[in-house]
């Protein structure tokens, strides 16, 4: 377990980077796979069955990884009528509350998501190339946990480091 | 004293069959009669047209208790009990007499398999036979090899058979099929005659091969635990109503099947009749293809039994 | 209980809770009240992995970001100035036309905003169109054109309603053109008002502008040609688009260097993630609405209480606008069409005409506050508060509603070619 805050910071930076790399790689892979499918069908008249399911599952991964990055960057869509009218202190409390609520919703879903994967594990279907479907589906509980933790950490920041928190909120977002 | 009464049971049932189809009408009739005969204690609610997702999704929703049952085709039934998949092997059956004779012998086995997996078959139904529709006439495997054949989903059986036939099928989603027929990306598709009409695929093809490509089995299933929520004195009534209406439904579907084929021929679709030799060849290739599959797809013993049954049947005739 | 949870949901939305959390919450509350396992929500979220049309979304998004990151917007401005610059609102009219064609080809989930928005928005900005106008234009363009063939919703309606798809293709043309035309009129007027510069038309400048964008002009033809020759399926058009755009912007024009691609890819995937997560939880909410048979109950209520065909059409329009906004295009189509068709027959509505009315409604519903999906896609794509988009889209929605009224009460617009 890392002992100093800087180690935490490094790990979190590494994870951030990992998310972005995965996101980018999936998108590039989708283009390549799609191209491969068109090529194989038109040049040697072979339909590749495994491409479609793989590409569709990548959509799921993109959704969850992208949502996590969007959380980090404060890029989620929301309708914000109130916070402009609030003072500094109240605004960070409100943000703290909202982030806590968001964390709760994500974390409430983690256990159902694990059970979902368990059920699919028992059905035992294959995605492609011996990759079981449940392995890909595991991204749901995993990323819901990550989303929950991200919202929790924002909650913590909102209550304890109000100034930094609000300025970081502002710098990253156009008050979407 | 009346703890057993008044507990109302609502059974939500999903199906891919569209609103207005004979399946959905049958369910509405079933619901009406069950309502009358149970004094409103048992209610069926039907969710048609795949509004609850595909059959795999419906099974998931049964497991979490959102719905209690479904009218499933071979795909969904095969997910509950794998051996049912043998019924959808291409070219297994030549006609409905064979289907009926085989089901008379084997349906009990399938029902038990389904029950062991937590579901109860309330009655068998079917979407009838699936046929080939094409731009060029297709009589045999050699003709098929020349076509650009569409395949819907990657199923083990489908893949094995197409491989044995030497066909490089083109996988596409349903929404792409109509336009792809138009553009020539594909020229051969398969569907029930009714589906070929409703999807309007028939407007882009010229021929229908008038021998069943495969049989599309169907059954109404309820989760066993949901069925057991029905008060014991009413269970037999509910079951009887389901059974009776589904037998009627099956007859209806077969009549509609014939009607659909005559509609298609009136629209200018020409029927292609393969020779008995062609039919035997397709049967042999198809069965050889599925022989390459492992026990994980379905039990070989079950298929062997079905094959033996059909063999004696064909000898008798 | 239902009322309290609805009020709570609205409250949560208004204080700035992320929208996907709000939608997930209302779906979860529904499940909880009805004693259904919360896993139902996860099952719906997983639909993201088996809804075929969604594959195109990240790909078109990537193509759009590459175009936006290149100098393509500048070239487009120059070309449109050369061709239609003399006309007030020339570029806006071009934007409408391009969006309509693109939507007809790709379906109806606001893909146009994702793919074309990045190109058109800076172009409109360069020409000094008011920002609010541009935002409204591009938001409502997200579904403009879905009455033109071979649009997927049109095909889907034909299948579900058992109506001839060929007739629907014909019937959609005039109503679709009417919409584009009225929006173009408004855009010309706005362009005139905003005093957008109007250069004179010269053949020489047209030639230069054409030569400059010689590689970008074939894009729509490459994609359309790919589809019509059967090389690619409609669902694969996105792949072809990305490849072509990559080759010309990175390889030919060299506007973007290879190493500049990575930030573009990341940016594009954040956009996709933000939209998909909303879509995923919306599937969950839609599922609960179906499970409670809410759309069916509303329709039954209509059937029971409305006698005159005109009143029926007014209510039908209101109902469908709401459905387009809440449920989204495809769920609305598969759930509502089979229920509405027999009802409408009782009022003597032609099924093809009904289909056009229905699709027009769903098209407008997709841009309708508070939950029309186009608004959110625009909000993410253009990084603007969703409230701004509500305001920006109002005039466009009013024009579209006017068209809807014309299409509804003058069946001849739809049935002219039949
Ligand atoms: Na679109
Ligand atoms: Na929506």
């Amino acid at each position: 377990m890392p002992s100093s805050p800087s180690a935490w910071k490094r790990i979190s930076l590494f994870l951030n980077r990992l998310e972005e790399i995965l996101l980018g790689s999936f998108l590039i892979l989708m283009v390549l796979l799609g191209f491969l499918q068109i090529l194989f069908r038109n040049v040697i008249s072979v339909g590749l069955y495994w491409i479609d399911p793989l590409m569709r599952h990548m959509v799921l991964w993109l959704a969850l990884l992208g949502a996590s990055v969007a959380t980090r960057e404060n890029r989620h869509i929301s309708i914000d009528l109130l916070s402009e009218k609030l003072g500094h202190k109240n605004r960070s409390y409100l943000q703290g509350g909202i982030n806590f609520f968001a964390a709760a919703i994500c974390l409430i879903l983690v256990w159902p998501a694990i059970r979902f994967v368990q059920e699919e594990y028992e059905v035992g279907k294959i995605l492609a190339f011996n990759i079981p479907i449940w392995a890909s589906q595991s991204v749901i509980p995993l990323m819901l946990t990550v989303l929950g933790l991200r919202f929790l950490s924002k909650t913590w920041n909102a209550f304890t480091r109000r100034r930094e928190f609000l300025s970081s909120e502002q710098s990253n977002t156009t008050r979407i | 004293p009346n703890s057993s009464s008044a507990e109302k049971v609502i059974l939500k049932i999903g199906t891919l069959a569209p609103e207005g189809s004979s399946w959905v009408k049958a369910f509405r009739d079933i619901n009406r009669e069950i309502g009358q005969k149970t004094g409103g204690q048992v209610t069926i609610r039907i969710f048609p047209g795949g509004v609850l997702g595909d059959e795999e999704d419906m099974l998931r929703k049964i497991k979490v208790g959102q719905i209690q049952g479904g009218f499933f085709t071979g795909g969904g039934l095969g997910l509950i009990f794998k051996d049912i998949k043998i019924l959808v092997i291409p070219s297994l059956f030549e006609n409905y007499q064979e289907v009926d004779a085989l089901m008379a012998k084997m349906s009990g086995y399938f029902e038990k398999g389904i029950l062991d997996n937590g579901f109860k078959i309330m009655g068998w139904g079917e979407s009838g036979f699936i046929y080939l529709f094409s731009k060029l006439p297709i009589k045999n495997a050699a003709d098929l090899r020349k076509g650009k054949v569409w395949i819907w989903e990657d199923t083990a059986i489908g893949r094995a058979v197409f491989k044995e036939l030497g066909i490089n099928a083109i996988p596409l989603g349903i929404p792409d099929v109509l336009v792809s027929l138009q553009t020539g990306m594909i020229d051969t598709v398969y569907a029930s005659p009714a589906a070929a009409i409703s999807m309007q695929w028939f407007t882009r093809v010229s021929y229908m091969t008038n021998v069943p490509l495969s049989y599309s089995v169907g059954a109404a299933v309820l989760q066993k635990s949901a069925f057991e929520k029905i008060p014991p004195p009413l269970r037999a009534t509910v079951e009887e109503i389901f059974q009776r209406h589904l037998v009627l439904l099956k007859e209806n579907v077969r009549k509609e099947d014939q009607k659909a084929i005559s509609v298609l021929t009136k629209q200018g679709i020409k029927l292609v009749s393969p020779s008995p030799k062609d039919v035997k060849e397709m049967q042999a290739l198809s069965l050889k293809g599925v022989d390459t599959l492992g026990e994980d797809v379905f039990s070989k013993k079950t298929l062997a039994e079905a094959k033996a049954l059909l063999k004696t049947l064909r000898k008798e005739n | 209980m239902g009322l309290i949870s609805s009020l709570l949901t609205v409250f949560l939305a208004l204080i700035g809770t992320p929208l996907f959390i709000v939608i997930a919450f209302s779906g979860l509350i529904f499940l909880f009240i009805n004693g259904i396992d919360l896993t139902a929500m996860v099952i719906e979220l997983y639909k993201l992995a088996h809804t075929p049309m969604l594959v195109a979304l990240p790909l078109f998004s990537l193509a759009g970001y590459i175009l936006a990151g290149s100098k393509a917007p500048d070239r487009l401005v120059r070309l449109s100035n050369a061709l239609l610059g003399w006309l007030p609102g020339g570029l806006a009219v071009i934007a409408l036309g391009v969006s309509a064609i693109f939507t007809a080809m790709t379906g109806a989930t606001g893909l146009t905003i994702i793919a074309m928005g990045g190109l058109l928005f800076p172009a409109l900005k360069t020409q000094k169109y008011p920002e609010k106008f541009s935002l409204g234009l591009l938001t409502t363009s997200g579904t403009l054109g879905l009455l033109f063939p071979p649009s997927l919703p049109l095909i889907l309606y034909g299948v579900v309603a058992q109506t001839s798809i060929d007739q629907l293709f014909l019937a959609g043309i005039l109503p679709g053109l009417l919409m584009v035309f009225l929006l173009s009129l408004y855009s010309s007027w706005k362009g005139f008002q905003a005093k957008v510069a109007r250069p004179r038309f010269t053949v020489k400048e047209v030639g230069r502008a054409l030569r400059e964008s010689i590689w970008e002009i074939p894009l729509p033809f490459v994609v359309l040609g790919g589809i019509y020759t059967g090389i690619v399926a409609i669902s694969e058009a996105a792949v072809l688009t990305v490849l072509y755009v990559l080759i010309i912007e990175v390889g030919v024009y060299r506007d973007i260097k290879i190493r500049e691609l990575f930030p573009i890819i990341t940016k594009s995937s954040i956009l996709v993630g933000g939209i998909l997560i909303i879509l995923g939880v919306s599937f969950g909410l839609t599922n609960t609405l179906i499970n409670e048979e809410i759309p069916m109950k509303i329709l039954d209520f209509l059937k029971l209480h409305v006698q005159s065909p005109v009143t029926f059409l007014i209510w039908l329009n209101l109902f469908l606008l709401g459905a387009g906004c809440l449920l989204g295009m495809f769920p609305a189509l598969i759930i509502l069409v089979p229920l509405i068709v027999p009802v409408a027959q009782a009022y003597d509505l032609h099924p093809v005409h009904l289909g056009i009315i229905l699709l027009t409604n769903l098209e407008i519903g997709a841009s309708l506050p508070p939950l029309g999906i186009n608004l959110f896609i625009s909000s993410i794509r253009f990084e603007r508060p969703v409230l701004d988009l509500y305001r920006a889209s109002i005039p466009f929605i009013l024009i579209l509603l006017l068209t809807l009224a014309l299409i509804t009460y003058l069946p001849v617009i739809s049935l002219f070619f039949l």
Side-chain angles (χ1 to χ4, degrees):
Chain A
M1 209 180 190
S3 52
S4 68
S6 72
W8 271 120
K9 197 153 193 180
R10 254 182 295 158
I11 288 183
S12 109
L13 281 177
F14 168 75
L15 288 177
N16 291 354
R17 193 80 191 131
L18 184 70
E19 269 178 355
E20 284 174 18
I21 290 174
L22 277 176
L23 264 176
S25 323
F26 276 129
L27 200 50
I28 296 169
L29 211 56
M30 281 181 77
V31 178
L32 291 177
L33 286 176
F35 180 54
L36 207 65
Q37 189 167 40
I38 297 171
L39 202 69
F40 265 64
R41 190 181 54 233
N42 283 292
V43 179
I44 52 173
S45 311
V46 169
L48 299 174
Y49 299 101
W50 47 272
I51 285 184
D52 242 31
L54 273 184
M55 279 175 79
R56 286 186 212 167
H57 271 253
M58 283 178 191
V59 173
L60 176 71
W61 282 67
L62 278 179
L64 291 161
L65 287 167
S68 172
V69 179
T71 305
R72 197 182 81 207
E73 309 252 313
N74 291 314
R75 293 279 294 274
H76 282 300
I77 297 187
S78 55
I79 303 164
D80 192 352
L81 285 178
L82 203 60
S83 82
E84 290 250 300
K85 295 169 188 74
L86 291 178
H88 213 77
K89 194 172 160 191
N90 287 332
R91 194 149 96 222
S92 59
Y93 287 154
L94 175 68
Q95 285 302 320
I98 288 173
N99 278 302
F100 184 73
F101 179 73
I105 294 290
C106 294
L107 294 176
I108 283 172
L109 278 169
V110 171
W111 180 239
I114 290 175
R115 281 210 320 258
F116 170 78
V117 177
Q118 262 174 354
E119 293 275 355
E120 300 288 308
Y121 173 83
E122 275 152 34
V123 176
K125 280 183 95 174
I126 298 292
L127 176 59
F129 305 118
N130 295 327
I131 307 169
I133 280 199
W134 67 264
S136 167
Q137 288 164 334
S138 302
V139 75
I140 303 176
L142 178 73
M143 290 312 294
L144 281 171
T145 312
V146 171
L147 274 171
L149 293 178
R150 281 203 186 282
F151 279 122
L152 273 186
S153 114
K154 287 173 79 173
T155 311
W156 177 254
N157 286 341
F159 284 122
T160 58
R161 300 183 215 158
R162 288 206 303 266
R163 184 155 313 191
E164 281 169 64
F165 173 75
L166 285 176
S167 69
S168 78
E169 293 275 294
Q170 224 116 64
S171 67
N172 280 330
T173 171
T174 46
R175 194 178 60 84
I176 282 182
Chain B
N2 50 6
S3 62
S4 68
S5 75
E7 183 72 18
K8 284 196 174 165
V9 181
I10 295 174
L11 300 168
K12 295 182 176 178
I13 290 183
T15 172
L16 296 180
E19 181 75 57
S21 65
S22 34
W23 296 275
V24 176
K25 278 181 199 146
F27 273 114
R28 301 221 188 277
D29 293 343
I30 291 173
N31 182 38
R32 201 169 308 124
E33 198 176 328
I34 286 180
Q36 284 162 5
K37 296 211 173 142
T38 65
Q41 271 207 68
V42 181
T43 309
I44 312 280
R45 268 201 211 140
I46 178 90
F47 292 85
V51 291
L52 294 176
D54 56 23
E55 293 192 347
E56 202 175 351
D57 266 347
M58 287 183 221
L59 281 169
R60 291 185 179 117
K61 286 178 185 178
I62 290 175
K63 276 184 191 151
V64 301
Q66 185 184 330
I67 57 175
Q68 286 70 44
F71 181 88
F72 290 121
T73 63
L77 295 171
L79 282 171
I80 302 175
F81 178 49
K82 63 184 165 91
D83 283 12
I84 290 193
K85 283 186 269 187
I86 66 147
L87 297 173
V88 302
I89 291 175
S91 303
L92 186 72
F93 299 110
E94 287 176 25
N95 50 48
Y96 283 126
Q97 288 81 5
E98 292 184 2
V99 172
D100 292 341
L102 185 119
M103 285 306 273
K105 291 260 166 58
M106 292 186 75
S107 60
Y109 170 73
F110 294 133
E111 278 161 24
K112 184 176 176 303
I114 292 274
L115 197 66
D116 291 345
N117 284 288
F119 287 85
K120 179 166 174 51
I121 294 223
M122 302 301 289
W124 294 90
E126 61 187 21
S127 310
F129 281 130
I130 306 290
Y131 296 87
L132 277 173
F133 293 86
S134 53
K135 292 192 177 178
L136 296 170
I138 290 177
K139 278 197 159 84
N140 49 37
D143 291 340
L144 205 50
R145 251 171 247 134
K146 281 182 269 176
K148 294 185 200 164
V149 186
W150 167 68
I151 187 167
W152 180 25
E153 283 183 317
D154 179 20
T155 65
I157 293 177
R159 204 185 333 173
V161 171
F162 275 38
K163 196 175 168 202
E164 190 62 41
L165 289 166
I167 295 162
N168 284 312
I170 296 167
L172 287 175
I174 302 267
D176 265 334
V177 170
L178 185 74
V179 176
S180 298
L181 272 173
Q182 170 121 35
T183 63
M185 172 182 288
I186 49 177
D187 60 19
T188 307
V189 296
Y190 49 86
S192 72
I197 293 175
S198 69
M199 311 271 223
Q200 307 188 23
W201 296 350
F202 78 96
T203 59
R204 310 284 193 269
V205 296
S206 313
Y207 297 93
M208 178 185 130
T209 304
N210 198 12
V211 163
L213 176 72
S214 64
Y215 173 64
S216 177
V217 62
V221 283
L222 282 182
Q223 199 177 22
K224 196 166 145 246
S225 56
F227 179 72
E228 282 161 1
K229 291 232 172 71
I230 300 173
L234 297 177
R235 283 181 201 165
T237 319
V238 171
E239 224 181 327
E240 187 274 330
I241 297 171
F242 260 97
Q243 298 265 358
R244 182 158 37 77
H245 282 274
L246 286 170
V247 169
L248 277 175
L249 170 69
K250 200 160 92 178
E251 287 165 13
N252 257 338
V253 167
R254 287 180 187 183
K255 267 186 231 148
E256 281 173 12
D257 221 31
Q258 281 313 307
K259 239 191 268 168
I261 292 179
S262 67
V263 168
L264 285 168
T265 52
K266 268 188 209 126
Q267 296 285 333
I269 300 286
K270 290 176 206 76
L271 300 183
V272 179
S273 304
S275 68
K277 194 178 131 250
D278 290 334
V279 174
K280 293 284 169 232
E281 185 208 9
M282 279 292 283
Q283 272 168 0
L285 285 171
S286 176
L287 288 171
K288 201 171 153 209
V290 293
D291 269 345
T292 62
L293 293 170
E295 285 283 334
D296 55 321
V297 183
F298 49 75
S299 117
K300 301 219 161 187
K301 205 175 131 250
T302 311
L303 177 59
E305 195 182 325
K307 270 157 70 176
L309 267 170
L310 287 168
K311 202 171 169 187
T312 46
L313 204 68
R314 281 170 195 160
K315 255 184 211 151
E316 282 164 17
N317 293 338
Chain C
M1 190 79 179
L3 184 71
I4 295 170
S5 65
S6 313
L7 289 176
L8 189 59
T9 307
V10 172
F11 172 73
L12 284 167
L14 292 182
I15 62 168
T17 311
L19 205 81
F20 85 94
I21 295 291
V22 177
I23 297 175
F25 169 75
S26 56
L28 288 174
I29 284 286
F30 250 120
L31 294 177
F32 182 76
I33 293 174
N34 293 298
I36 298 166
D37 194 321
L38 301 189
T39 311
M41 195 73 185
V42 182
I43 294 173
E44 293 298 313
L45 190 63
Y46 178 61
K47 263 200 185 142
L48 290 174
H50 57 108
T51 304
M53 286 166 308
L54 289 183
V55 173
L57 195 124
L59 298 172
F60 276 125
S61 157
L62 180 57
Y65 269 92
I66 295 170
L67 282 173
S70 74
K71 296 198 186 80
D74 301 341
R75 288 188 287 267
L76 178 74
V77 168
R78 187 172 177 187
L79 183 65
S80 79
N81 254 338
L83 288 170
L84 283 181
W86 51 274
L87 177 86
L91 179 63
V93 172
I94 289 184
L96 287 168
V98 167
S99 299
I101 295 172
F102 189 86
T103 303
M105 279 169 40
T106 55
T109 37
L111 278 180
T112 316
I113 301 167
I114 296 172
M116 308 302 295
L119 177 68
L120 295 170
F121 190 55
L124 287 163
K125 205 168 177 173
T126 317
Q127 289 214 340
K128 310 261 178 350
Y129 282 90
E131 181 175 293
K132 201 176 136 193
F133 165 82
S134 309
L135 286 174
L137 176 90
L138 295 175
T139 303
T140 40
S141 296
T143 38
L144 181 70
L146 63 83
L147 293 181
F148 296 131
S151 127
L152 192 60
L154 217 50
I155 296 181
L156 202 62
Y157 176 85
V159 169
V160 181
Q162 300 287 303
T163 309
S164 156
I165 290 166
D166 295 327
Q167 283 194 357
L168 282 166
F169 279 180
L170 284 176
I173 292 172
L174 283 184
L177 286 176
L178 181 67
M179 261 188 260
V180 176
F181 175 71
L182 288 180
L183 288 175
S184 297
L185 272 187
Y186 174 70
S187 302
S188 290
W189 179 58
K190 283 307 261 191
F192 184 73
Q193 247 190 352
K195 302 202 170 63
V196 172
R198 285 162 57 193
R200 266 205 6 247
F201 181 90
T202 66
V203 176
K204 207 164 138 196
E205 173 59 11
V206 170
R208 281 207 202 111
L210 276 177
R211 210 167 321 128
E212 196 183 56
S213 36
I214 188 84
W215 291 103
E216 272 139 4
I217 295 164
L219 176 61
F221 302 100
V222 168
V223 176
L224 274 176
I227 291 172
Y228 282 109
T229 51
I231 292 172
V232 292
I234 290 184
S235 60
E236 293 167 342
V239 180
L240 209 61
T241 309
V242 176
L243 285 172
Y244 188 82
V245 166
L246 263 179
I247 291 169
I248 60 167
E249 304 303 346
V250 181
V252 180
Y253 286 116
R254 299 186 194 233
D255 287 349
I256 298 169
K257 298 193 181 66
I258 298 267
R259 76 183 135 75
E260 288 167 352
L261 272 177
F262 195 74
I264 289 182
I265 290 171
T266 315
K267 242 182 134 173
S268 150
S269 35
I270 296 174
L271 164 100
V272 167
I275 292 169
L276 285 174
I277 197 77
I278 291 181
L279 217 55
V281 292
S282 301
F283 288 152
L285 181 60
T286 301
N287 176 51
T288 54
L289 292 178
I290 297 171
N291 190 58
E292 296 312 302
E293 301 181 279
I294 287 169
M296 299 77 160
K297 281 175 189 159
I298 296 177
L299 202 63
D300 282 343
F301 185 81
L302 273 191
K303 260 193 279 190
L304 211 66
H305 291 86
V306 178
Q307 268 84 39
S308 104
V310 174
T311 324
F312 172 73
L313 279 176
I314 291 172
W315 281 107
L316 182 69
N317 279 331
L318 287 176
F319 172 63
L320 287 171
L321 285 170
C325 169
L326 266 174
L327 300 175
M329 177 95 47
F330 290 98
L333 273 174
I334 57 168
I335 297 164
L336 297 179
V337 170
L339 301 175
I340 290 176
V341 169
V343 183
Q345 268 163 1
Y347 292 98
D348 267 346
L349 270 175
H350 193 291
V352 171
H353 182 212
L354 177 71
I356 301 297
I357 293 178
L358 206 130
L359 290 168
T360 310
N361 270 301
L362 298 183
E363 173 176 335
I364 300 171
S367 304
L368 204 65
L371 283 179
I373 191 82
N374 284 347
L375 296 159
F376 303 129
I377 295 181
S378 272
S379 167
I380 301 189
R381 184 63 187 87
F382 305 122
E383 303 185 12
R384 292 295 184 281
V386 75
L387 280 176
D388 284 8
L389 292 158
Y390 287 0
R391 280 183 224 116
S393 56
I394 289 172
F396 294 90
I397 288 176
L398 290 178
I399 294 170
L400 290 174
L401 287 176
L402 171 70
T403 339
L404 173 65
L406 292 174
I407 294 171
T408 307
Y409 299 109
L410 301 173
V412 65
I413 305 176
S414 311
L415 305 176
F416 187 76
F417 291 125
L418 303 191

